[in-house]
Amino acid sequence: MLKTLDRPDCELVEKAQEAAARAYAPYSRFAVGAAVRSKSGAIYAAANLENASSGLTICAEAAALSLANSAGDPDIDAIAVVGFSFTDGAAGASRVIAPCGSCRQLIAEAAQRANGNVRVICCNGELSCIAVSTIAELLPNAFGPENLAVSRKWPALQEELRACAERLIAIRKKQ
Ligand code: THU
């Protein structure tokens, strides 16, 4: 139940529930909202976005993680997920949902990038059922960047990316 969570986690869950209202889910009729909290305290919330070409559907968790990344604030420590079927009456909002396999993989890499674990707060639509776990519990022995023979780590590459982008922007401003 919502009352069992502390104030910041309550707020995260509320943002996820509100985001679910903005789902585009004409095919599954299943709305999902996700809200990530970065270590800065900022919250990024998003909904699932479906497509007639089913494989192109974007899950709410992926969209929320992408928002945090695009805001330059990718180091997250928690994610709340709220999902419900919106054409099945009360029954559709009673079962707690958990991130799908692809989203677990995305959350695992976000955790690795933030040098920590990520708490995952899974909720049913009416927030009467809440299951709190960590991404390490939801996806043990995850495949990750350390499995790939990358000789240069992201922080160093990111510096190179920023320098390159700055050069390109400076060229554009001179034109
Ligand atoms: N969905 C999510 O947004 N996140 C998940 O972790 C599970 C599934 C969405 C995708 C699709 O729009 C709908 O829920 C039904 O699969």
Side-chain angles (χ1 to χ4, degrees), residues 46-123:
N48 52 330
L49 174 67
E50 297 189 346
N51 192 275
S53 179
S54 307
L56 298 180
T57 290
I58 299 169
C59 285
E61 298 92 319
L65 288 168
S66 180
L67 274 182
N69 179 61
S70 298
D73 195 14
D75 287 352
I76 65 154
D77 58 23
I79 180 166
V81 187
V82 176
F84 51 90
S85 170
F86 56 86
T87 52
D88 294 340
S94 61
R95 184 186 287 231
V96 72
I97 75 148
C100 75
S102 321
C103 289
R104 291 180 196 206
Q105 183 70 30
L106 290 173
I107 298 165
E109 181 130 349
Q112 196 273 345
R113 195 174 168 190
N115 292 315
N117 209 340
V118 165
R119 291 177 43 259
V120 184
I121 307 165
C122 299
C123 312

Side-chain angles (χ1 to χ4, degrees), residues 113-173:
R113 195 174 168 190
N115 292 315
N117 209 340
V118 165
R119 291 177 43 259
V120 184
I121 307 165
C122 299
C123 312
N124 62 351
E126 56 198 26
L127 309 185
S128 55
C129 247
I130 298 181
V132 183
S133 56
T134 66
I135 190 58
E137 287 166 343
L138 291 180
L139 190 64
N141 302 317
F143 177 76
E146 61 284 357
N147 295 112
L148 300 174
V150 278
S151 56
R152 297 178 62 203
K153 296 277 179 242
W154 179 242
L157 281 169
Q158 195 175 26
E159 283 306 309
E160 203 168 318
L161 161 64
R162 286 186 180 145
C164 177
E166 270 169 32
R167 271 197 310 278
L168 294 171
I169 291 165
I171 291 168
R172 187 248 303 160
K173 284 184 173 166

